[in-house]
Amino acid sequence: MELLLSQIINGLSVSSVLFITSIGLVIILGMLGVVNLANGELIMIGAYMAYIATGVLKLPYIFALLLAFAVTACIGIFIETVLIKRLYGKIAETLLVTFGLSYIFQQIVRWIFGPEDKFVDLPIKASIQFGSITVPVYNLFLIFMAVVILFATAALFYKTSIGMKIRAITQNRSISQCLGIDTARIDTTTFALGAGLSGLGGALIAPVKGVTPQMGIYYVTDSLLTVVLGGLNSIFGAFSSGFVIGESVTVMAGYMSEVTAKILVFLIVVVIIRLKPEGLFSSKDRR
Amino acid sequence: MKKSKLLALILSGVLAVGALTGCSGSAATSAAPAQATKGEADKTEETTEPIKIGVLYSTTGNFSISETPMLNAAKMAIEEINAAGGVKGRLLEPIYTDYGSDPAKASEKIKQLILEDGVVATVGTNSSSTRLAVIPEVEANNSVLVYNTYYEGEVPSPNVIYTNTVPSQQISAYIPWIMENLGKKVFFVGSDYVFPKKCIDFAKKVLEASGGELVGEEYVPVGHTEFSSLINKIKQADPDVVFSAVAGDSVVPFYKQYKQYGISSADIPICAIATHEGGAKGIGAEAAEGHYSSFGFFNTVDTPEAQAFVKKYTETYNDGTTVTNLTEGAYHGVYLLAAALEKAESYDAQTLINAFKGLEIETPQGTIRVDENNNHCWLNSYIGKINSDCTFDIVYHAEELVEPIAE
């Protein structure tokens, strides 16, 4: 019973990590129709920014988050303006370009920082103890941040004029243009937002994960899975499917091998997608 | 490529570490355009021609985390050997080749090295996937590969010289030492692929033989970064020790989360076979301190040879890479090759491989010896405990060289 409870609590932080590492992907995919295969590398760059802020510059951890968001958002602006802008609507091309970028980013980071692991210290070391269950406070912080990111992005999309424009473009690009919305600019902003959130995610997970140039690879599969299950264009969907996947894989892993648990979750997702191809929580607006 | 050498004027003493610095000619190591010397070069005038060797390590792609330091160390060894006059008066001409961490590409590259560049042997490859990808080419073209990474000890090729440890060498002394010093109840964890599985299989046998108790065995997917479930299982099983063959990029998150979830190294230490100095730095002192590893070499081995090696490496390559047992392996691998080249009458693969048998050289880890039969090396065995500087305090050193048992 304690094991189950403990796994459920762990599942929450696993779910948060899934959401945090997929939110950037879901925004860029949902709003712009680009499968950003360099998402993992934006996470990685975010993690390295956390290393620079806390390890090199010795700044408080909050600066790690800000720096990570700012730098990856700028990278987002750059790649959107230089490359992606020309390729909207061409799925194969954007896949190839972002895949290529992922290698380029990895190697650039490797040249700058060297190939070995960088250490990012845990900003909150305390943990809470209930009987035999240990809950690290930093994990609670991750859960909190996942919820903050969810509501902040939701507020941005549903309460601000730029959010309204983004949604308008998603619904009908040409009409939006006719109405005088600068769609190119909104695209760039959306891409930057998605990239920035991925970077922020990287800085958030850096203290509990390894920080290496290739770390992004390990988040690609899981975040794509989260996005596909959640519905391609839904932020709430990504949040909920992150929860479903995170909880089920963690609870199952408490009672069987980690490998089996993962395979089972993949299978379940395949079945769900077969029955409900638009994803569990796809939002109503379609392009 | 056949080259028979008649006069071996400079004897194998050349290779005794650091000797004979007087006759350093030009130590140019640039890879000259590959004008393959297929023609016979028996004449004495031509014996100063350099000996081509391939060096196959990646500094691009995922594998560069291990292979960059290995390349550095190999380069350092080659430069030292050339500065000391080379082999039989001939310089080594390394052809450095990066295969971009892609095993399939490694196999193409080694074919090029053998057939186009005409190398007599190749030093390199690191992961088992790469080694297994290049072996068919090495065998088909009858060349020699000097492999310097610890590996699972399975299906050795007759064309490969294995200069680093196999599971038995990391584990035979480790498990009894653990039983004696840390406790008898052991929980095994590993990444889900061949090296960890073979190691744990071997460790379980030793554990049973030495009267220990297995209280759990779990594997995680390669590249796994989420260890809360595993750590819960460890807590439930309440072992004295966790024996870890978690490898690669999973190492750092495993230790970090182990600490985060409140298991202290004083209560249940992790005894690892794939966590080295580089990993320890990534984990950070707080989470790494007090855990153990077993290797043929640590960069804190307190002998003049080891410390001179570490010092020279650190001064030469200021690139943030760490000296580990892999680094030392690549370094002694080149020296072994040079010793074999010195001893071999000619440089066809068979003669060269035979020349390796029984070779004994001084290395940073101490004396090592190539087995007479199985192309593996008798090596040192050290156990280290991570200290607050993220380096290892040596707590055990086997008195004698440990036998390599390959299947």
Side-chain angles (χ1 to χ4, degrees):
Chain A
M1 193 58 214
E2 274 198 343
L3 177 66
L4 179 66
L5 193 61
S6 167
Q7 289 301 98
I8 290 173
I9 298 170
N10 289 344
L12 288 177
S13 61
V14 175
S15 310
S16 314
V17 169
L18 277 176
F19 174 68
I20 288 168
T21 53
S22 356
I23 176 73
L25 193 67
V26 83
I27 288 177
I28 291 172
L29 178 60
M31 307 301 155
L32 302 172
V34 173
V35 180
N36 180 16
L37 288 179
N39 185 53
E41 279 57 43
L42 293 168
I43 294 172
M44 178 269 290
I45 292 168
Y48 272 87
M49 291 306 126
Y51 162 69
I52 292 182
T54 61
V56 180
L57 304 174
K58 311 284 179 202
L59 296 170
Y61 184 66
I62 180 76
F63 289 98
L65 301 181
L66 298 174
L67 185 69
F69 184 85
V71 169
T72 46
C74 290
I75 292 173
I77 293 173
F78 180 74
I79 57 182
E80 201 274 347
T81 332
V82 175
L83 294 167
I84 307 293
K85 191 182 278 283
R86 292 148 226 281
L87 301 171
Y88 283 128
K90 299 177 185 164
I91 295 287
E93 282 83 346
T94 50
L95 275 174
L96 273 177
V97 163
T98 51
F99 185 63
L101 281 173
S102 73
Y103 276 88
I104 294 170
F105 287 151
Q106 276 184 44
Q107 195 55 34
I108 291 175
V109 168
R110 196 169 278 128
W111 279 329
I112 300 174
F113 295 98
E116 295 185 8
D117 276 285
K118 291 294 174 205
F119 171 62
V120 177
D121 202 6
L122 205 57
I124 310 169
K125 289 182 178 149
S127 61
I128 303 171
Q129 197 81 28
F130 307 100
S132 69
I133 304 172
T134 310
V135 184
V137 175
Y138 189 75
N139 287 6
L140 299 178
F141 174 69
L142 284 179
I143 298 169
F144 169 74
M145 283 305 291
V147 175
V148 168
I149 291 172
L150 172 70
F151 283 104
T153 36
L156 181 80
F157 282 116
Y158 293 98
K159 300 282 177 204
T160 65
S161 80
I162 189 162
M164 194 189 293
K165 286 176 190 165
I166 292 174
R167 284 183 297 130
I169 293 171
T170 316
Q171 285 185 345
N172 194 321
R173 180 170 290 268
S174 13
I175 297 283
S176 308
Q177 280 168 332
C178 291
L179 292 171
I181 297 175
D182 184 352
T183 53
R185 200 189 151 102
I186 299 288
D187 288 343
T188 311
T189 315
T190 314
F191 200 93
L193 175 70
L197 287 174
S198 296
L200 177 67
L204 282 168
I205 61 171
V208 287
K209 308 281 182 184
V211 180
T212 61
Q214 66 266 21
M215 66 180 280
I217 299 168
Y218 305 118
Y219 302 99
V220 173
T221 325
D222 285 352
S223 51
L224 277 173
L225 198 67
T226 311
V227 172
V228 170
L229 181 67
L232 299 185
N233 54 359
S234 165
I235 296 161
F236 285 102
F239 188 79
S240 325
S241 74
F243 178 76
V244 171
I245 295 174
E247 278 298 345
S248 40
V249 81
T250 314
V251 170
M252 284 199 278
Y255 300 93
M256 59 184 81
S257 122
E258 203 93 40
V259 183
T260 322
K262 195 138 200 184
I263 292 171
L264 277 181
V265 167
F266 279 154
L267 277 177
I268 295 168
V269 172
V270 168
V271 171
I272 294 177
I273 299 299
R274 175 67 191 80
L275 299 174
K276 215 169 173 311
E278 70 279 14
L280 278 183
F281 312 94
S282 184
S283 58
K284 296 283 179 286
D285 32 295
R286 314 295 305 172
R287 247 161 301 158
Chain B
M1 185 162 90
K2 281 214 159 106
K3 289 193 176 175
S4 54
K5 301 288 297 169
L6 301 174
L7 303 170
L9 289 173
I10 304 164
L11 300 171
S12 37
V14 171
L15 295 160
V17 181
L20 265 180
T21 45
C23 56
S24 61
S26 88
T29 53
S30 63
Q35 184 59 45
T37 54
K38 302 270 186 215
E40 297 303 313
D42 286 355
K43 301 228 171 79
T44 38
E45 291 87 4
E46 285 178 282
T47 53
T48 51
E49 203 174 282
I51 304 169
K52 289 185 178 172
I53 59 171
V55 180
L56 189 61
Y57 287 118
S58 292
T59 52
T60 55
N62 299 352
F63 298 164
S64 38
I65 186 168
S66 307
E67 297 186 23
T68 307
M70 295 182 88
L71 173 66
N72 288 344
K75 211 179 253 181
M76 191 166 118
I78 291 166
E79 280 163 12
E80 285 172 9
I81 290 163
N82 282 341
V87 172
K88 296 180 183 172
R90 298 168 64 182
L91 296 181
L92 298 180
E93 182 185 322
I95 299 168
Y96 297 111
T97 308
D98 183 341
Y99 62 95
S101 303
D102 175 2
K105 199 161 156 199
S107 138
E108 283 167 33
K109 292 282 184 189
I110 204 163
K111 194 172 175 184
Q112 268 176 22
L113 284 170
I114 299 167
L115 296 179
E116 286 176 26
D117 300 318
V119 298
V120 298
T122 303
V123 175
T125 74
N126 174 49
S127 78
S128 287
S129 53
T130 319
R131 185 190 71 252
L132 293 171
V134 303
I135 283 177
E137 290 299 339
V138 177
E139 288 179 348
N141 299 300
N142 200 23
S143 187
V144 179
L145 173 69
V146 182
Y147 180 68
N148 308 309
T149 304
Y150 53 95
Y151 87 114
E152 62 275 6
E154 270 194 327
V155 280
S157 155
N159 289 60
V160 180
I161 303 294
Y162 299 84
T163 79
N164 213 325
T165 53
V166 293
S168 61
Q169 289 169 300
Q170 272 184 288
I171 293 166
S172 302
Y174 202 16
I175 295 281
W177 184 89
I178 291 169
M179 301 287 96
E180 198 183 320
N181 294 282
L182 304 173
K184 292 196 183 300
K185 286 197 292 177
V186 182
F187 194 111
F188 290 93
V189 298
S191 295
D192 194 19
Y193 69 97
V194 59
F195 170 74
K197 291 205 151 170
K198 289 300 295 181
C199 287
I200 288 179
D201 281 349
F202 187 86
K204 285 196 302 198
K205 280 181 210 147
V206 184
L207 182 78
E208 204 182 309
S210 46
E213 184 191 347
L214 183 153
V215 295
E217 181 178 357
E218 288 287 336
Y219 295 90
V220 294
V222 174
H224 200 57
T225 63
E226 175 51 57
F227 287 92
S228 58
S229 308
L230 177 65
I231 292 165
N232 256 341
K233 287 180 196 169
I234 292 172
K235 281 183 173 174
Q236 300 265 318
D238 190 30
D240 295 327
V241 170
V242 172
F243 183 94
S244 166
V246 169
D249 292 324
S250 297
V251 168
V252 171
F254 177 44
Y255 282 71
K256 276 184 166 179
Q257 291 167 30
Y258 195 78
K259 168 87 183 170
Q260 212 199 357
Y261 282 96
I263 310 183
S264 103
S265 58
D267 292 339
I268 313 176
I270 300 171
C271 294
I273 51 167
T275 305
H276 53 53
E277 294 88 341
K281 280 204 276 187
I283 298 162
E286 213 168 315
E289 191 176 357
H291 295 297
Y292 298 85
S293 288
S294 163
F295 280 119
F297 176 78
F298 288 103
N299 67 21
T300 41
V301 166
D302 195 17
T303 60
E305 293 80 12
Q307 286 316 304
F309 166 66
V310 175
K311 184 160 179 272
K312 182 165 179 195
Y313 181 96
T314 319
E315 284 169 0
T316 314
Y317 304 103
N318 189 20
D319 59 357
T321 54
T322 312
V323 177
T324 68
N325 108 302
L326 295 173
T327 326
E328 195 267 351
Y331 182 81
H332 77 222
V334 171
Y335 269 100
L336 265 183
L337 174 61
L341 288 169
E342 191 69 49
K343 184 174 145 193
E345 301 266 305
S346 73
Y347 293 159
D348 63 292
Q350 213 41 56
T351 319
L352 187 56
I353 285 165
N354 286 333
F356 273 98
K357 294 187 191 305
L359 267 184
E360 192 169 297
I361 64 166
E362 289 302 320
T363 72
Q365 67 166 260
T367 309
I368 66 171
R369 183 171 78 243
V370 185
D371 189 83
E372 291 287 349
N373 301 310
N374 72 5
N375 290 358
H376 287 63
C377 292
W378 291 64
L379 296 164
N380 290 273
S381 166
Y382 292 95
I383 298 172
K385 181 179 187 181
I386 305 176
N387 58 31
S388 55
D389 298 328
C390 293
T391 58
F392 287 84
D393 294 332
I394 310 292
V395 293
Y396 168 86
H397 177 204
E399 279 166 26
E400 289 172 0
L401 292 181
V402 184
E403 182 189 3
I405 303 171
E407 286 164 29

